[in-house]
Amino acid sequence: MIPIEFYLVLSAFMFITGVVGVLTRKNAIIVFMSIELMLNAANLSFVTFSSFLGNNIGQLFVFFVMTVAAAESAVGLAIIIALFRNKLTINIDEINILKW
Amino acid sequence: MITLQIILFSIFALIAIVSSVLVVTRKNPIISALFLVLNFAALAGIYLLLNAQFIAVVQVIVYAGAIMVLFLFVIMLLRPEHEKNFFEENPKMKWLALTVGGVVFFQLIYTIFFGKLSSAMHQNAEKSVQIGTVESIGRGLFTTYLIPFEAAGFLLLAAAIGALVLAKKHFD
């Protein structure tokens, strides 16, 4: 029997890795992958609590999170392609036309 | 006492931790994407340990299958850019990010361990096997949560159209 803390610590660690990735990386695609990492960490917490509480609502919510993640990655990657067409770079430090 | 469950959990958790760190620290985005696939596969294993069969299968099909293929496809469409090593460029910012991450991580750890969760919750194996099945999830999706389910379908349609419009060659 594995205590619930193990799953939650794994989830927290993955979330923090995603946060550090978003804050430090310059490549827009890797920033995107870090966001997927954070979504997955949240999913792991949902499934853990769902399983430990004996209630399937957590797993239903994970289903919806996955739907939104798929939609988000399709639109986000399309935006990255459009950016690359216009600026010939996906370095987020060089994409600053909205900077005030 | 070391059971098979604990051994499997250790293996999957180790793979997930190492691969998530490698996703963030590798220079080449293709290598990052492949480690992310490994991370998703390890997570699917952990979902199986939690008796969430449906979510484990969907994780492999949707995340490791569909989303990551999209990522790899886009990475290969773009020109590779040379990023510097993790700590070479703007090290101040990276230390700041690591500090923020560390502080939040210890807050989470503190909450997890001092919330006395273990005493309140025990995994009920029989019940969690019943709720993780396709039948249980499908029953929820098509009865109580029918409207969110239809809304999710509409969201996917809108995202597909939006992606097509955004990736078109010329904006009108």
Side-chain angles (χ1 to χ4, degrees):
Chain A
M1 212 62 197
I2 304 159
I4 187 168
E5 278 91 353
F6 285 32
Y7 295 104
L8 294 179
V9 168
L10 177 62
S11 162
F13 184 85
M14 274 175 55
F15 188 85
I16 295 303
T17 332
V19 170
V20 172
V22 169
L23 288 176
T24 55
R25 295 310 298 259
K26 306 276 180 251
N27 190 325
I29 290 184
I30 295 186
V31 171
F32 235 71
M33 287 195 245
S34 303
I35 294 174
E36 299 290 327
L37 213 55
M38 290 197 279
L39 282 169
N40 268 279
N43 280 354
L44 178 58
S45 284
F46 268 126
V47 174
T48 306
F49 279 114
S50 162
S51 174
F52 275 80
L53 291 169
N55 188 333
N56 69 355
I57 294 177
Q59 292 180 29
L60 290 171
F61 208 94
V62 169
F63 181 84
F64 289 116
V65 171
M66 281 179 178
T67 316
V68 174
E72 172 242 334
S73 67
V75 174
L77 290 171
I79 290 175
I80 288 177
I81 289 181
L83 262 179
F84 187 75
R85 261 205 201 109
N86 289 321
K87 305 264 294 183
L88 286 179
T89 180
I90 51 167
N91 186 329
I92 52 173
D93 279 355
E94 288 169 38
I95 303 163
N96 53 7
I97 46 172
L98 273 181
K99 212 174 189 174
W100 194 41
Chain B
M1 195 183 73
I2 294 175
T3 57
L4 184 63
Q5 229 185 352
I6 291 173
I7 297 170
L8 284 175
F9 178 81
S10 320
I11 293 171
F12 286 135
L14 195 70
I15 294 175
I17 287 172
V18 171
S19 61
S20 69
V21 171
L22 288 173
V23 168
V24 173
T25 52
R26 292 302 92 185
K27 272 188 272 184
N28 190 338
I30 291 189
I31 293 176
S32 283
L34 292 176
F35 275 117
L36 195 56
V37 174
L38 185 64
N39 186 24
F40 289 164
L43 264 187
I46 286 174
Y47 290 158
L48 276 182
L49 282 177
L50 283 165
N51 294 324
Q53 316 152 21
F54 176 71
I55 296 298
V57 172
V58 169
Q59 170 87 5
V60 172
I61 295 175
V62 175
Y63 264 119
I67 294 181
M68 289 323 292
V69 168
L70 199 64
F71 266 95
L72 281 172
F73 204 76
V74 170
I75 291 169
M76 290 181 186
L77 276 179
L78 305 179
R79 189 176 52 196
E81 295 195 36
H82 291 289
E83 223 181 333
K84 288 196 180 131
N85 224 339
F86 190 66
F87 280 106
E88 272 174 21
E89 202 177 9
N90 201 354
K92 237 183 206 168
M93 178 66 201
K94 309 235 152 142
W95 282 115
L96 183 72
L98 283 181
T99 317
V100 170
V103 168
V104 177
F105 185 62
F106 280 106
Q107 280 183 335
L108 287 171
I109 296 290
Y110 183 85
T111 328
I112 290 167
F113 280 101
F114 288 86
K116 304 221 168 25
L117 286 166
S118 292
S119 54
M121 287 180 206
H122 296 286
Q123 195 175 13
N124 184 342
E126 282 158 30
K127 197 162 187 197
S128 65
V129 167
Q130 280 169 13
I131 62 156
T133 56
V134 182
E135 189 197 342
S136 153
I137 307 275
R139 208 177 280 280
L141 281 179
F142 285 105
T143 54
T144 324
Y145 298 97
L146 183 62
I147 293 172
F149 181 69
E150 296 293 338
F154 197 76
L155 174 74
L156 281 176
L157 176 68
I161 295 172
L164 276 179
V165 172
L166 279 172
K168 223 166 53 173
K169 196 124 202 178
H170 297 291
F171 284 107
D172 294 327

